Amino acid sequence: MGAESFGITDLDALEILDSRGNPTLRVSVELSTGQRASAGVPSGASTGSREAVELRDGDADRYGGKGVTRAVSNVNGELAELLRSRTWSALAEVDRAMNDADGTGNKARLGANAIIGVSMALARALAGTNELYTYLRLGGTSPRLPVPHFNVLNGGAHAPNSLDFQEFMIAPIGAPSLPEAVRAGATVYGRLRSLLQDRGFATGLGDEGGFAPDITRPEDVLALLVEAIEGAGYTAGRAGVAIALDPAASEFYDDGSYRVAGESLTSTEMIERYAQMVADFPVWSIEDGLAEGDWDGWVALTERLAGRAQIMGDDIFVTNPAIITEAIGRKLGSSALIKLNQIGSVSETLEAMRLCRDAGYTQMVSHRSGETEDSFIADLTVGTGCGQLKSGAPARGERVAKYNRLLQIAATTDLPYGLA
Ligand SMILES: C=C(OP(=O)(O)O)C(=O)O
Ligand SMILES: [Mg+2]
C-alpha cells in the first residue's frame, strides 16, 4: 500500500442482504480521480467476544432487530463528511481517522460493519485499474495462490443438527495447481453427497454450504471424509487431500467443561481427544480447538501437537494485533485465522498478518458464515501470499465467488500454488 495522495469525492452505503437473509451493508466510494468501487460486508454467527462490534438497529419490528440502517447512516453522514474533508496519503491513514472518530476502541459507536465496508471499498478503489491483490501486499512477501479449505460438513452454530464441531474442511495441499485443488474439492464434495445419500442421511446444507447430517461423533465424520477423499480417487493426507477442523469450541464449552457428543471433557481430556484424532486421521489443522478463555489449555494444546498439526486461533485472536502480540509472547497457537470484520479495517488486518508472519505463525484468510457475493478475501489471500483460504463449500454462490476469483487469477498469472 503505497503513500499515494488522494481525495474522496463520494461515499455512500446501502442496506443489502447477506447469505443468511440478514441485512448487511454495501459501501461505494468515489475518488477524485473518478475511480469508483464498492464492497460487501460479511457477518459471523459464532463470534469471538472481543471482536469489533457490528452495529445493528435493534428495532424488533424490522428484520428482528438486525437492520443496519444506523450503520448505513453513519457511512452516509459522519464518515462521508470526514472522508471528504481533506486529502489522504494512505488507506491506513483513513482507517486510523475512522477509528479515532469512532472513539470507542472497538468501533462500537460508528459500527465495525460500517468502517470495514468503507475500508474495503476504498482499498478496491485505490487499486484502481490494477488487480486488487496487487494492492493488498505485505512488504517482503510474494503473492501466491492459496490452498482452498472447503468446508464440506457443518455443525455447531452453523447447522441445526446434533454435531457439536462446527466445520470439517478438506484441503487439497498436495494438488499440483489451484484449478486441480478446486477440482479435488468439488469432486470429494460430490462423493460425500453420494455416501451420505447411500447411508440414509439428509443432504441439506448448513450456512457455509457443507452438508449437515445428523452425525454426532466427530470421529465418525472424519472416517466418512477419508472414505469420500479416497472414493473420489485422491490420497488422504498432506500429499493429496488433508482435513482441517474448526470445532469452534467456545460454543460447546460450559462451566469449565467441553461437551462433545454427550460427553463432558476437561481441557486436558479434550487435548488428548485431538491428539488421538491427529494420530488416526489426516487432520493437519485445528482451529479453535479450545474455548477463547482457556489460555492455559491453548498453550498445552500447542505444545502437545507441535510439529503435527497447525493450531489456529479464531475467536481467541479475533484478528486483533494486540491480542496476537500477547499470544505470540505466550507461545499460544501456531497460526491465526484472519477475518476482516473481526478487527474492522483493512490496514489493521494487514498489520495482524504482518505480526503473524514475522513471528512464524501461519495465517488463513476466512469468509464469515454470513457472506455477500464480494470476493475481496480471495485477493487478500493472494496478495499477502499467506497460502491458505477458507470460504466454505465448493457450492453456493457467495462461497464459490471466492474460489472462482482464485480460478480467474490462476488463469491470468503464473503465481505459485500451495502453503506458504
Ligand atoms: C467462519 C466462521 O464462522 P463465523 O463467521 O460464524 O464466525 C468461523 O468460526 O471460522
Ligand atoms: Mg472459526
Side-chain angles (χ1 to χ4, degrees):
M1 302 200 296
E4 66 276 24
S5 176
F6 58 90
I8 295 166
T9 47
D10 191 32
L11 181 70
D12 66 273
L14 181 71
E15 188 178 59
I16 62 167
L17 292 180
D18 73 13
S19 55
R20 267 194 286 257
N22 292 326
T24 188
L25 295 90
R26 178 184 293 140
V27 177
S28 302
V29 63
E30 185 183 68
L31 304 181
S32 47
T33 55
Q35 188 73 39
R36 285 192 71 89
S38 62
V41 175
S43 173
S46 64
T47 49
S49 64
R50 296 205 272 176
E51 290 194 21
V53 177
E54 226 175 38
L55 189 62
R56 298 271 175 195
D57 295 345
D59 170 3
D61 292 340
R62 203 172 163 278
Y63 288 120
K66 291 184 175 161
V68 292
T69 60
R70 286 199 293 148
V72 165
S73 298
N74 289 343
V75 174
N76 294 341
E78 194 172 332
L79 289 171
E81 196 178 323
L82 170 69
L83 267 60
R84 286 196 309 244
S85 67
R86 46 168 286 197
T87 56
W88 304 89
S89 63
L91 176 61
E93 188 183 30
V94 179
D95 287 342
R96 255 194 315 277
M98 290 194 287
N99 232 339
D100 291 346
D102 171 78
T104 63
N106 62 5
K107 304 181 177 67
R109 189 179 73 80
L110 293 170
N113 44 354
I115 293 174
I116 190 61
V118 175
S119 188
M120 290 165 70
L122 191 50
R124 188 170 266 140
L126 289 169
T129 53
N130 296 317
E131 297 286 352
L132 177 56
Y133 71 84
T134 64
Y135 180 78
L136 299 170
R137 298 284 301 273
L138 282 186
T141 305
S142 304
R144 136 181 312 274
L145 291 158
V147 174
H149 285 63
F150 300 102
N151 181 6
V152 294
L153 208 134
N154 297 181
H158 293 171
N161 57 4
S162 53
L163 185 61
D164 300 301
F165 280 22
Q166 180 179 283
E167 299 173 24
F168 291 80
M169 291 167 273
I170 50 170
I173 297 175
S177 67
L178 185 275
E180 282 304 316
V182 170
R183 190 166 76 87
T187 308
V188 174
Y189 182 73
R191 182 73 196 160
L192 179 61
R193 181 194 286 113
S194 304
L195 286 177
L196 289 167
Q197 275 165 349
D198 290 351
R199 285 160 209 194
F201 287 112
T203 51
L205 304 182
D207 286 353
E208 299 186 350
F211 302 111
D214 243 324
I215 302 176
T216 309
R217 291 184 71 245
E219 291 83 355
D220 292 342
V221 176
L222 290 170
L224 192 67
L225 289 191
V226 170
E227 213 181 324
I229 292 166
E230 291 176 346
Y234 295 95
T235 306
R238 294 187 199 202
V241 180
I243 295 173
L245 296 175
D246 177 8
S250 298
E251 299 286 326
F252 54 82
Y253 184 66
D254 186 30
D255 205 15
S257 297
Y258 292 91
R259 307 200 192 272
V260 180
E263 289 179 61
S264 189
L265 306 175
T266 64
S267 188
T268 308
E269 288 166 341
M270 194 71 234
I271 292 169
E272 286 314 305
R273 185 92 173 240
Y274 288 128
Q276 198 59 50
M277 285 184 211
V278 169
D280 293 345
F281 300 99
V283 172
W284 96 278
S285 177
I286 303 174
E287 172 193 334
D288 281 0
L290 297 176
E292 65 164 275
D294 186 6
W295 279 55
D296 291 340
W298 269 91
V299 173
L301 175 64
T302 307
E303 233 173 71
R304 179 75 173 87
L305 291 181
R308 291 200 283 150
Q310 175 175 263
I311 302 300
M312 179 184 291
D314 171 14
D315 289 356
I316 188 169
F317 294 166
V318 292
T319 317
N320 184 311
I323 299 173
I324 291 172
T325 301
E326 192 183 345
I328 290 168
R330 288 186 54 178
K331 295 190 168 51
L332 187 160
S334 59
S335 180
L337 195 74
I338 300 294
K339 291 167 167 169
L340 286 154
N341 75 325
Q342 273 183 331
I343 187 66
S345 75
V346 172
S347 51
E348 288 166 288
T349 301
L350 290 170
E351 175 58 17
M353 297 182 83
R354 185 176 297 111
L355 278 168
C356 287
R357 184 199 60 188
D358 292 352
Y361 277 41
T362 55
Q363 309 116 60
M364 180 191 287
V365 172
S366 173
H367 66 155
R368 297 308 304 245
S369 51
E371 267 293 332
T372 73
E373 65 280 13
D374 194 334
S375 60
F376 190 98
I377 57 170
D379 285 77
L380 177 64
T381 315
V382 172
T384 57
C386 72
Q388 302 180 46
L389 171 72
K390 74 168 189 177
S391 178
R396 289 185 56 141
E398 78 281 2
R399 312 293 149 185
V400 299
K402 285 65 164 173
Y403 300 130
N404 288 344
R405 171 66 180 148
L406 293 181
L407 286 167
Q408 185 187 16
I409 296 172
T412 50
T413 65
D414 56 3
L415 293 175
Y417 165 78
L419 298 177

